[in-house]
Amino acid sequence: MELALRDELVSFAEELADAARKEILPFWRKRVNVESKIENGRPVAESPVTVADRNAESAMRRTIETRYPQHGIYGEEFGTVRSDAEFVWVLDPIDGTKSFITGKPLFGTLIGLCHHGQPIIGIVDQCVLKERWVGIVGHGTTLNQEKVETDGVDMLSDAMLYATTPHMFATGFEATKFEALRSAVKRPLYGSDCYAYALVASGFGADLVVEADLGLYDYAGIVPVILGAGGQMTDWQGRELNIQNHEQSRGRVIAAANSSLHQAALRILHNPDVPGADTLASVVKPHLRDLQQYKPPLEGRNNNTHLLLDFNERTTPVAAHVTDAVKSFIDTRGLHCYPAYGNLQARLAEYAGVKFEECMFTNGSDQGIDLVVRCCCPQGTEAIIPSPYFAMYEQAALTEGLHIKTPHFTREGGFPLEEIIGAVGPQTSLIVVSNTNNPTGTEIPCEMIRTLLKAAPHCAVLVDECYYELMDPDCTMKDEVSLYPNLFVTRTLSKTFGLSSLRLGYLLSADANIRALCCVRGPYDVNTLAAVAAIAALDDPTYMTEYVNEVRYQSKPALEEFLRGRGIVFWPSSANYILCYFEDPSSIEAGLRARGILVRPKKDAEGTMGIRISIGTLEQTKRLVAALEEILSVT
């Protein structure tokens, strides 16, 4: 980077810090309303946010959009735009909100500038104490314009170790690792958030910071400050901290004053002999060792005690002739033989309206997604997955070591066709088209998908039609599979046929593709009972069509009418769910749960939290609306 541009960007980063200060200081040690963000699955699920956080980030974002509209922004409060830009600003308006709301001046504003994903400029700004650290990788770190350098001890046994809280380490692996490190240092200290890293960079006596469960915005602004001061900062595996590695790093970071402390800490945190470590890590592919498991919120789901409007399933039991077929098979044939599928493939092809050779059955549509990625995408290539998206697309792509680009759906613009085409390059191996999109419900016209297929003939284009029965029939791509050898269509019998627990899906593609994918699918991957149930359902699908008609023409219009009447913003949807935005989504979700109704909090591509509500029968929808009316009347 040219010196003039670097200096310009450093000066601009300080302008952002000044803008944040102006928004934060008026609320310092004042009574402010504190809201709770709930992020299930994290060791500390509740995270506070205030008007100061939001105002400060808004001010910085406005400044960036005005000066550098081509730059990307990754913010804690308002999400991500242009994440694939050459330059991306990573913003945490108040790191340490708990300190801020209790009057402790150890919080800070974090500003990081990433170039091609790599943090190069960072700021830690403590506006109350008027202390500002500015770090430039390879060019030093300053505190209030005076150069600072790390100055740590040589031995871990003499080191002062910081972490925000010991509760940030998840039970098991993380907690065991941290306990081992804590036992090896001279003194562990807690409660300083980003300020601890600044102390390490300044050589004031802090030697190490080790933390977990961090977001990118929690460390991107700190990395240049530590590195610029002569320290070391990586994840627990010794990898660089950058946008590309964030998912693998899992928010586990080490900042050390010198390389000897850094290596000593790594030996403990990465040592497989420490109880709780994964002793098979050395034989597992490197990119899989820190892959995070997809964990849908299954706890407490019971259709005998709750109305389940959270997973987009059918909300009523399947027809008796389907369950009778399963019971009869168990009674007469038993469960002791390997599956024999009979005419299942032929029946699915007939139902889909394609040739026998253009169809294969799968263990849910998830297996179809996995097969396409495994068979079509070399490790290290790129996948384009428009956001927001179903988590299994990302899981399948990361399992194969793909790099993911995420153009954004918008409520106004819908499917980002031009942005996707602009992102296609020679390294692109996969484009995912969720039609209709989950969680927004956006329907995508066939003509747009045909444009994609023609624009990227070297890419597998995966069209997920798992809500096919709820779509406009003209929006399916099934008639195109013989025309485009790069087209793959996945579907399921989970959503409207109601076979979710049996896991049966199917995949449509050119016959040569189907032959290849069948070689990778196992011979017994679909269980016999799923096949029996599917054939019975296809023999008489009346129960499915009646349910779909009630959802489409009675229940969904009733919910939409309620939302419009209440002035609640929602995405137009062609599926059996609606993503809507309540003023306080956490309270709405909790209130519905208390009334025996489960819904699913979901963020859109901009990071705004909404609630995705599945749609069932008209009677169930009336119950939902009544519960919402009751909750909203007291909030």
Side-chain angles (χ1 to χ4, degrees):
M1 183 188 302
E2 294 182 0
L3 179 62
L5 176 58
R6 187 197 75 198
D7 290 345
E8 174 188 325
L9 293 171
V10 170
S11 177
F12 180 70
E14 294 213 57
E15 286 183 42
L16 297 180
D18 291 339
R21 278 191 179 190
K22 291 178 183 178
E23 299 296 335
I24 294 168
L25 285 172
F27 297 98
W28 171 241
R29 290 184 175 169
K30 300 287 195 306
R31 284 287 185 181
V32 295
N33 182 49
V34 180
E35 299 178 26
S36 290
K37 296 184 293 185
I38 304 298
E39 299 176 89
N40 293 322
R42 302 185 67 180
V44 181
E46 189 272 342
S47 177
V49 62
T50 71
V51 63
D53 296 78
R54 290 175 174 148
N55 287 0
E57 183 170 322
S58 293
M60 291 190 285
R61 295 176 82 103
R62 286 195 301 271
T63 306
I64 295 167
E65 293 287 5
T66 300
R67 185 78 62 84
Y68 297 110
Q70 75 277 21
H71 286 194
I73 305 174
Y74 188 116
E76 178 175 15
E77 305 305 334
F78 298 110
T80 307
V81 295
R82 298 180 295 276
S83 59
D84 298 324
E86 178 182 0
F87 291 97
V88 177
W89 295 91
V90 184
L91 310 174
D92 188 347
I94 300 180
D95 181 82
T97 302
K98 293 174 185 176
S99 291
F100 176 75
I101 62 179
T102 54
K104 183 169 69 174
L106 297 183
F107 63 91
T109 297
L110 302 181
I111 300 167
L113 177 61
C114 295
H115 186 227
H116 294 303
Q118 198 74 26
I120 58 169
I121 296 169
I123 287 181
V124 179
D125 188 67
Q126 213 308 306
C127 58
V128 176
L129 301 178
K130 297 181 179 178
E131 293 179 325
R132 179 176 295 172
W133 287 263
V134 180
I136 309 169
V137 175
H139 297 279
T141 294
T142 60
L143 166 57
N144 292 345
Q145 301 184 340
E146 296 290 330
K147 186 175 181 180
V148 292
E149 294 180 343
T150 60
D151 184 22
V153 298
D154 294 325
M155 303 292 293
L156 201 58
S157 58
D158 294 326
M160 308 286 267
L161 166 68
Y162 268 103
T164 295
T165 169
H167 303 298
M168 72 194 317
F169 302 97
T171 301
F173 176 80
E174 289 182 355
T176 303
K177 292 285 192 178
F178 181 72
E179 176 59 32
L181 181 63
R182 183 171 63 180
S183 300
V185 302
K186 186 173 185 178
R187 292 189 183 92
L189 303 101
Y190 305 105
S192 296
D193 299 292
C194 63
Y195 201 79
Y197 296 89
L199 295 176
V200 172
S202 303
F204 289 156
D207 301 297
L208 273 172
V209 184
V210 171
E211 298 193 307
D213 194 40
L214 301 188
L216 179 67
Y217 42 76
D218 291 315
Y219 62 77
I222 295 173
V223 171
V225 172
I226 293 291
L227 299 184
Q232 302 281 312
M233 190 165 176
T234 67
D235 72 3
W236 289 15
Q237 307 303 318
R239 287 183 292 245
E240 290 184 340
L241 293 167
N242 54 39
I243 292 176
Q244 291 87 341
N245 288 343
H246 176 63
E247 290 296 329
Q248 289 182 314
S249 296
R250 301 181 69 174
R252 300 169 179 166
V253 308
I254 309 171
N258 55 51
S259 59
S260 61
L261 285 175
H262 179 253
Q263 288 301 314
L266 272 179
R267 280 193 291 272
I268 290 176
L269 295 174
H270 189 56
N271 184 356
D273 294 328
V274 174
D278 182 0
T279 57
L280 296 179
S282 62
V283 299
V284 173
K285 293 177 183 178
H287 75 277
L288 295 177
R289 293 174 192 169
D290 292 310
L291 185 65
Q292 296 187 54
Q293 182 181 354
Y294 171 47
K295 294 182 178 179
L298 296 170
E299 187 175 351
R301 297 192 84 241
N302 184 335
N303 61 327
N304 290 325
T305 60
H306 290 81
L307 173 57
L308 304 183
L309 303 182
D310 53 342
F311 277 31
N312 302 341
E313 304 151 305
R314 181 186 175 95
T315 59
T316 60
V318 300
H321 72 274
V322 177
T323 54
D324 287 346
V326 173
K327 293 174 186 176
S328 175
F329 184 91
I330 294 173
D331 291 340
T332 60
R333 300 278 296 277
L335 301 175
H336 54 286
C337 296
Y338 282 102
Y341 298 111
N343 66 345
L344 176 61
Q345 182 172 339
R347 295 303 308 280
L348 287 168
E350 179 186 10
Y351 172 73
V354 300
K355 297 176 184 176
F356 176 86
E357 298 82 6
E358 295 171 340
C359 176
M360 65 183 290
F361 51 84
T362 57
N363 190 314
S365 60
D366 290 358
Q367 187 184 35
I369 294 165
D370 183 64
L371 283 169
V372 171
V373 178
R374 288 172 63 194
C375 295
C376 300
C377 304
Q379 183 175 340
T381 57
E382 295 176 347
I384 299 175
I385 309 177
S387 178
Y389 50 74
F390 174 46
M392 289 307 297
Y393 306 145
E394 178 183 64
Q395 196 77 7
L398 293 177
T399 298
E400 293 304 308
L402 306 188
H403 303 295
I404 299 175
K405 294 183 176 181
T406 55
H408 291 174
F409 279 85
T410 63
R411 226 166 24 92
E412 297 76 16
F415 184 62
L417 176 63
E418 296 304 321
E419 192 177 351
I420 294 171
I421 292 175
V424 173
Q427 284 295 104
T428 308
S429 61
L430 175 70
I431 302 172
V432 177
V433 180
S434 177
N435 192 21
T436 58
N437 175 264
N438 179 11
T440 68
T442 306
E443 196 167 80
I444 304 164
C446 286
E447 189 53 45
M448 285 190 173
I449 302 174
R450 281 192 286 268
T451 300
L452 266 185
L453 289 160
K454 295 171 185 175
H458 63 293
C459 303
V461 177
L462 170 61
V463 180
D464 187 358
E465 293 185 356
C466 71
Y467 299 97
Y468 160 68
E469 286 79 15
L470 294 145
M471 295 164 50
D472 183 330
D474 292 335
C475 283
T476 178
M477 291 297 290
K478 60 98 175 176
D479 291 329
E480 314 292 331
V481 294
S482 61
L483 304 177
Y484 296 96
N486 57 332
L487 172 63
F488 299 83
V489 178
T490 53
R491 290 183 182 173
T492 181
L493 272 67
S494 293
K495 303 302 181 183
T496 55
F497 279 96
L499 305 186
S500 300
S501 63
L502 293 176
R503 314 304 301 132
L504 186 79
Y506 57 103
L507 191 152
L508 313 176
S509 191
D511 56 358
N513 294 337
I514 295 297
R515 286 196 302 273
L517 268 61
C518 283
C519 294
V520 179
R521 182 197 64 190
Y524 309 120
D525 284 359
V526 172
N527 73 80
T528 299
L529 300 184
V532 169
I535 292 171
L538 293 172
D539 280 344
D540 183 3
T542 305
Y543 79 99
M544 180 274 293
T545 56
E546 289 177 348
Y547 178 79
V548 166
N549 287 337
E550 184 171 2
V551 168
R552 291 186 69 183
Y553 303 118
Q554 298 182 59
S555 304
K556 187 152 72 77
L559 180 55
E560 290 170 338
E561 182 181 2
F562 163 75
L563 294 171
R564 290 191 189 97
R566 275 286 190 166
I568 296 165
V569 176
F570 63 93
W571 286 68
S573 172
S574 296
N576 62 334
Y577 51 86
I578 294 178
L579 180 65
C580 41
Y581 300 98
F582 294 88
E583 186 173 336
D584 186 354
S586 296
S587 295
I588 296 294
E589 189 274 336
L592 289 172
R593 181 182 293 270
R595 290 163 175 80
I597 302 174
L598 299 187
V599 293
R600 189 87 174 265
K602 282 281 189 180
K603 289 184 179 180
D604 62 19
E606 303 298 328
T608 303
M609 183 62 76
I611 291 181
R612 190 192 66 192
I613 301 175
S614 303
I615 302 169
T617 65
L618 182 59
E619 181 182 351
Q620 292 166 340
T621 304
K622 289 178 179 178
R623 176 183 167 188
L624 166 71
V625 168
L628 287 171
E629 288 281 19
E630 185 178 337
I631 296 166
L632 292 169
S633 67
V634 296
T635 57

